[in-house]
Amino acid sequence: MIGSCHMGLGQVLSEEMKYGRNGHLMNPDLLDYKIPSVHEMPEVIPIIVESNDSEGPFGAKEAGEGPLLPILPAVCNAVYDAIGVRVSELPITPDRMHRLIEARCKEEDVEPTGLQSPRLEHSELQEVLDERAAEHADRDSIRASMEDDSPYHNGALFGFDPLIPADQQDDRWIVSVTPSGEYIDAPRLAGSAWKHEERRHGGAN
Amino acid sequence: MRMPPFKLHTPETLEDAVALSGELGEAGDEFDWIAGGTDLLPNYKWHLNVKPHVISLARITELSELSETHIGAMVRLHELAESDDVHPLISKVAAMVASVMIRRSGTVGGNICLDTRCFWFNQSEEWRESIDWCYKCDCGTGADCRVIPNQNTQCVATYQADLAPVLMCLGAQIHLAGPSGMRSMPLNEFFELDGITRNVLQPGELVTHLTMPDDSCELVGDYQKLRQRDSWDFPEAGVAVVWRPGKSGGPADLRVATTGLESIPGYHEEEAASILNDWKGKDSIDELAESVRTAVRPVLNTWYPPSYRRKMVKVLTKRAGSGLTEV
């Protein structure tokens, strides 16, 4: 996980393959291909959340490249949070960042120190999510304090029987996620894939 | 990437070394000096201008003397960084060079005579062959410069060493020895604008030591450098601003030098003098930064694009000169 953080930070901040005008890789060595060194790496504290992945062998979950992925949006969002500049090209090297800041300042007609950081405004959904997260945290701590040391399974926090499928034990537990016809008629951006027609065979049938 | 064969000579005194260089010169054999080897050996592994003979200076003890006014060419950068005798700015800059392992091996003389670097030159032999070589290492083909084409007269590789601008500003005198005798000159006359030779060293000559003027301890200043990773990258730009605190209202003397922007470090005497004549405090520092920015001519052959390096020279000059307002 620390290694993934390192790779992610390198990818988002400094690692770039530069090509010359005739297509040659200009930095094919570790001095010019700038991988963060031990001095650039911050301290990383991995927190491992134990879970049972039904797709993996013996419930195992991969931990190789997965932790790399959130590093890139996290750093880009941190930049956005600080100065309100959205980065669309990686890595965020100082020269690229400088160019973006200059463009932003010109657009807003302010000094670089006058750039406002955007404020986050939650929708109404956030309250519901916070409530649910708090309830779940309670259930989690209750299970941790119980003497029950049986292995974790999906629904364990709700006291479900591991041998019976969870959706048969509680109506609120949804396994199938096919949306209703009403939703498919007017899906929002994320749901528009449901209207996608399969055209793998030339779209004939 | 394999080390090409060469014959290593290890003279024990300066006289032996100079005599040996004279002998090799008369016999028509080409050779390189090796001090710390942190620059030369990677270049040899890349088959960059390899010579059949290499003369090591490691056993010559008289070259590693270090005192307040005398810095031997074989003094390791780490010794310089740890030293309490030399000017604090020199030890600060020495501690900023590359990484600690390189500082343990790299020397003052080697840092001053550092080979210039370029994206089209510091590459493996196969890579350079695929672009039909370049002007600096043309392998007998008379190849054109790849950075600025159609100008087969001057190499524009970048000089990326840290010590030179600071030593120049502190008024160091450099001492050379060679088969034709000893000579010395101010450090800012040591460099000559050319990416291949980069200094006035004649074949067979070597740097023996640097002497600092007695009044250098009265000078104060700062050095700022630009690089992607603070751990061990070469400077993409570096600015040294050194001044003598005046009695009242402004510095009594002001010197500015830059590195990492051209084929040699730049000593900006005129810019500093014109600012000093009409001292206006903070505005003067901004003016100085702008004049240094327009004076330098970086080209596209290192990690950062030249436009960014020029902009940052202005910022670095302001930062390095920020202490001037308190004078």
Side-chain angles (χ1 to χ4, degrees), chain A residues 4-84:
Chain A
S4 291
C5 272
H6 173 256
M7 286 194 281
L9 278 175
Q11 189 179 349
V12 71
L13 292 177
S14 55
E15 289 173 29
E16 186 180 15
M17 307 201 8
K18 294 196 173 193
Y19 290 94
R21 59 180 171 273
N22 47 6
H24 280 80
L25 181 60
M26 301 307 283
N27 50 353
D29 53 85
L30 290 177
L31 183 63
D32 290 321
Y33 183 77
K34 303 201 183 279
I35 296 172
S37 75
V38 69
H39 296 275
E40 276 80 42
M41 253 323 262
E43 193 189 350
V44 179
I45 304 167
I47 300 170
I48 297 167
V49 180
E50 286 179 42
S51 77
N52 190 349
D53 188 354
S54 55
E55 304 289 329
F58 310 111
K61 202 170 177 66
E62 68 92 30
E65 287 182 354
L68 183 152
L69 302 174
I71 306 293
L72 317 184
V75 172
C76 292
N77 283 333
V79 168
Y80 178 70
D81 184 43
I83 52 173

Side-chain angles (χ1 to χ4, degrees), chain A residues 13-16 18 20-22 24-37 39-40 91-95 98-99 102, chain B residues 46 99 117 119-120 122-123 127 130-131 145-149 226-234 236 302-305 308 311-312:
Chain A
L13 292 177
S14 55
E15 289 173 29
E16 186 180 15
K18 294 196 173 193
R21 59 180 171 273
N22 47 6
H24 280 80
L25 181 60
M26 301 307 283
N27 50 353
D29 53 85
L30 290 177
L31 183 63
D32 290 321
Y33 183 77
K34 303 201 183 279
I35 296 172
S37 75
H39 296 275
E40 276 80 42
I92 317 175
T93 49
D95 55 310
H98 189 263
R99 215 166 53 227
E102 272 188 342
Chain B
W46 276 350
S99 67
R117 302 180 56 80
F119 262 174
W120 301 88
N122 292 87
Q123 303 284 5
W127 195 101
S130 72
I131 59 156
C145 177
R146 302 293 161 194
V147 182
I148 305 172
L226 169 74
R227 50 181 174 173
Q228 173 88 32
R229 294 173 297 180
D230 280 344
S231 47
W232 64 306
D233 280 345
F234 280 96
E236 299 279 331
T302 58
W303 172 257
Y304 285 133
Y308 180 68
K311 279 176 197 158
M312 286 304 113

